[in-house]
DNA sequence: TATGACATAGAAAGCGCTTGCTGTGACGCT
DNA sequence: AGCGTCACAGCAAGCGCTTTCTATGTCATA
């Protein structure tokens, strides 16, 4: 039914071994023979059997990319950048690799299952993006899995995720703490003293780090934080909307709202507007990530730009072994404060 | 080095065949034996060799998803929905499948290469999302590839893409023409007579259909279109920004701008604002897709909502054989006009 | 002319799994 | 008691490719 290597070999009047070598180009084959083989491949419309090849060669051309939420541009942008580097069609030489983007939905179980699936496929590399879940048993399970993957020869890269010690994984970490701190210091500098914070899911490292940065800034400026000023939620718009209403209910005197990310900030803006408050005249708003739409908010969003595409591209190159790992296997990537229209001085109460 | 089926078999004191059957659950195995095998699997931390399994069984558990731009939520949302349905971790029963999301960047060559790669992996199913490129030779090449995939037993589903006749592919098509028409009729109904149109890339079916709908509406209302009222671009914000400036230069008397999608519309809004024009008082703006951020634009965007998640989910189910194909293998999915703040009556000139 | 050295091609042994076919006891039936 | 049935389990033959090792012809060198 389907065309096999042997068929091509027969047609080209050579042995299967020769066909394989022509296809892989890793062994000298006379030019005329190569021609003949390639013609046969073409005429028969032969397509290599991936599984068979992977089995025999004990390697595959699959690269896994784990993301928390593929529908979120934060991950989409990184995934896109990673994929553009791992080759595949359009990429540079070095064999075509297939990117497997896996959507974990932020669930640790799924993350593990996907890692197993990738291990099963003998993936050439795996890139894990975004914050990790802090639950200890799961973290340990993931770490064990990563170690196993690394042992099996799969290159493991973390992109936008804290390092996983003793796993052999290369980490490209975002400086969420520093960014969070800088952002809040900017607001404090404008004169704000009563700042609400809309955090992401509580057990996520990203959430914690950004919040820590925020609190560090408060502390550094002698601002005592009211526990009611922090609300946890999800990393989406709706969560930001609801959390903002809650924040307003708890303390209507807040003059600024710092959001866990831009989507949340957008929700916050909507909630503020719906509550009859002006931005930034009545309340300033700040986001995080600087996703493409953030500049189009009205007023445009003050936020911390994370070089997602650059980080993804670098992670991709490292995963492909085309770039050296950073010293110590860990690199911290800083964000850049983008001051825009959504932040201003506090209203005079 | 790595644990194989045989190792597990030895440990459980059964034959490899039995282990395989326990793992696949497709053959009666005595409960006690199964127990023993599972324990051995656990103790040895055995992970099935995917390629070997795929080779022997002549099927794989990979499902391909082709998207034009993974960083664009339009595709991210569909991909997410598809993936949630094709099983994988967290999905329902029926074996765990790995979703391979492939970023074509809208390039036909890449699309073809990815299809070949998926064919090579003997993918269980392939879902192609988004508009197709209209270049005849490429369309034919893609069609041929799809036919071959279908012949090889791979289920092929098109999601948000026009049907591909004679390929055996199931098509879930968006009614871009109808949506485009409805949108423009809404604007005409508000009194607009001079409407600019910012189209996507010229050779894309989505672009053509939406534009056709727009023109059909104009024609139905006896509005003669000025050729200068249409500008082609890309499906992104920047393109919308630039195109709007161009439109304004060509005809400052336009009272409405219809964009190819929401991102473009956002860029249009920014350009209008930067030109000192108010929305919708001076110029109305309309988008397409109703992505999550569209409601947060100020004013919120009038657009056509496409049920991306629903369509993706359905495509996923069909790909998995868990839902019947629509009659004739083709289903048209309609959009819903969302009238919001960015559209209003034209200014009185 | 003899002799390595080299370039190229083939034979064949797997890679680790699935599955059709072949036992083999245990049962229930006549 | 005799025999067909059935539920399990194992044997062994591949699945289609890669790769080691070996064979062969060709050159340049001694």
């Amino acid at each position: 039914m389907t065309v096999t290597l042997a068929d091509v070999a027969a047609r080209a009047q050579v042995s299967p071994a020769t066909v394989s070598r022509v296809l892989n180009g890793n062994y000298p084959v006379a030019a005329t023979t190569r021609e003949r083989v390639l013609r046969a491949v073409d005429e028969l419309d032969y397509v290599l059997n991936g599984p068979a090849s992977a089995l025999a060669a004990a390697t595959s051309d699959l690269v896994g990319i784990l993301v928390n939420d593929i529908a979120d541009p934060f991950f989409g942008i990184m995934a896109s950048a990673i994929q553009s580097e791992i080759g595949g069609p359009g990429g540079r030489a070095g064999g075509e690799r297939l990117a497997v983007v896996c959507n974990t939905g932020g669930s640790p179980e799924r993350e593990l299952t996907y890692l197993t699936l990738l291990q099963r496929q003998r993936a050439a590399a795996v890139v894990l993006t975004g914050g990790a879940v802090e639950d200890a048993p799961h973290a340990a399970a993931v770490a064990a899995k990563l170690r196993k993957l690394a042992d099996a020869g799969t290159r493991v890269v973390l992109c936008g995720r804290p390092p996983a010690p003793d796993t052999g994984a290369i980490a490209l970490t975002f400086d969420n703490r520093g960014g969070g701190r800088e952002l809040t210091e900017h607001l404090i500098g404008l004169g704000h003293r009563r700042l609400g914070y809309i955090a992401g899911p509580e057990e996520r490292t990203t959430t914690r780090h950004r919040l820590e940065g925020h609190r560090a800034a408060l502390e550094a400026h002698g601002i005592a934080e009211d526990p009611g000023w922090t609300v946890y939620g999800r990393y989406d718009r709706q969560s930001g909307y609801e959390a903002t209403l809650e924040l307003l209910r708890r303390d209507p005197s807040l003059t600024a709202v710092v959001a866990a990310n831009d989507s949340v900030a957008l929700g916050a803006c909507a909630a503020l507007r719906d509550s009859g408050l002006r931005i930034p005249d009545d309340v300033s708003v700040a986001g995080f990530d600087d996703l493409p739409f953030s500049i189009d908010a009205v007023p445009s969003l003050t936020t911390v730009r994370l070089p997602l595409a650059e980080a993804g591209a670098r992670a991709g190159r490292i995963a492909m072994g085309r770039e050296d790992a950073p010293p110590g296997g860990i690199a911290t990537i800083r964000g850049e404060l983008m001051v825009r229209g959504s932040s201003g001085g506090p209203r005079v109460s």
Side-chain angles (χ1 to χ4, degrees), chain A residues 39 56 84 96 113 121 127 153 162 168 173 191 219 239 252 270 273 306 319 347:
Chain A
R39 185 151 6 99
S84 74
E96 321 218 288
T113 319
Q121 299 296 334
V127 181
T173 308
E219 196 171 338
S239 178
R273 261 195 307 276
L306 250 27
R347 63 170 168 257

Side-chain angles (χ1 to χ4, degrees), chain A residues 27-53:
Chain A
Y27 194 86
V29 172
T32 62
T33 313
R34 189 201 325 285
E35 284 282 294
R36 203 142 32 88
V37 169
L38 289 178
R39 185 151 6 99
V41 165
D42 219 58
E43 286 166 356
L44 295 178
D45 218 358
Y46 169 69
V47 175
L48 184 73
N49 183 318
S53 167

